[in-house]
Amino acid sequence: MRRLPVPAMFKGSALIAALMFSGLGMAQEAESDVPASEAATDAGDLSEVATDDVDPVPPETSTGFIPTEDDLAIQTAEVLPKVGKSLILDMTDGANRAVAVGERGHILVSETRRGDWRQIEGVPTRSTLTAVSAFGDRVVAAGHDGVILLSTDGGLTWSRKRLAPFVPDNLDLKNGAPILDVLMYDDNNGYAIGAYSLLLKTSDGGESWQSMNILGKSDEEVLDTQETDTAAANDENWTFDQSDLDLEEETDPHLNGIARTGDGSFMIVAERGAAFRSTDDGATWERLQLPYEGSMFGVIGYEGRHVLAFGLRGNVYESFDLGDNWTQLETGTELSLMGGAGWQGGGAALVGANGAVLVRTSADEALKLTAAPDGTVLSSVLAITAGELSLAGESGLSFYQP
């Protein structure tokens, strides 16, 4: 199936793109992963700010990108009075505090994870941040424009380590691709994943990031495929036909979520039922196909090789052998599930469209469906206890007891 090149696909505001790539605003979806409507929220106009003393653009930035003072990606995020009610896309627990990230480079922290979130000043980007992960006091946040930020003090101060915005005339499909999830699994090592099978690895605690090829193809083979798809999309005489509507297997699926299991394996879930696993610390990846052909937006890793994947139309699948066998779980909803948190013994909290919240205290229990009071789209959840949850989404941060 032909796909639009990045410049067409990422038109519009960063917020609309965030909604598209985090699954937000997809309460009623078709099997083709196309949302029935696009949702957006306005947290106020951006004002002009000085760009003095901002972090320099890292040398790892995409070739050809020359920043100017007008590039939001390198501007310092604004401190706003009601930022806790703006779009928040992800949260994580660090050693001493929780960290939340969202639109316009907003980063908030809380020592209690309940209702005392406060915004961090001096964040060196206004790009939308879609993902955050912590290992101890080392915290990595990532998002649009290929930006990756690093904090070594639990989220109180930040520096920019990667920036790769869209560059005109670059035929690489990963050109300008957003990062959709990030995972730090020890003091030195971590992964970032994103659109068009973007896979990045760090071995120095988030200071630098190297691109990896999850598809098992040479760089030349990947580039040849991308050039063919881009040329077709740009052909003035090209029109859709029935073959373009078929849900064929994508050669470069968007990678949506990553988790590590107790035995040290990794599982990545992607669009159209695609998944990837690695049992050798990411040196090689094996492609899998889930029983459901729609997108999975997130995955939780447990003890052994136990994983729980969740996503489009309320679909949840569980495997105890890293994807050799899958069991579909009853959720009682067809609303998409965009965020999840797990705890020992198979406990889980999943959140999604229309305020949907599903909870189980262990793998022996069924998921119980409730709804958060405001009924807005939820993107992330932290479990304080099995009965106390911190929620994040299009209306910001909240505390909920199912």
Side-chain angles (χ1 to χ4, degrees), residues 335-349:
L335 298 171
S336 288
L337 303 171
M338 273 73 79
W343 53 89
Q344 190 172 8

Side-chain angles (χ1 to χ4, degrees), residues 174 197 199 211-219 222 283-285:
K174 295 183 179 66
S197 297
L199 177 64
S211 178
M212 300 182 67
N213 189 346
I214 198 172
L215 301 175
K217 297 181 180 180
S218 68
D219 292 340
V222 172
T284 59
W285 295 85

Side-chain angles (χ1 to χ4, degrees), residues 14 37-38 145 149 171 189 193 247 263 270 290 325 350 384-385:
S37 63
E38 292 181 338
D145 298 311
L149 309 179
L171 296 181
N189 297 291
I193 61 173
L247 292 179
D263 73 339
L290 275 72
N325 299 279
L350 308 176
I384 301 170
T385 68

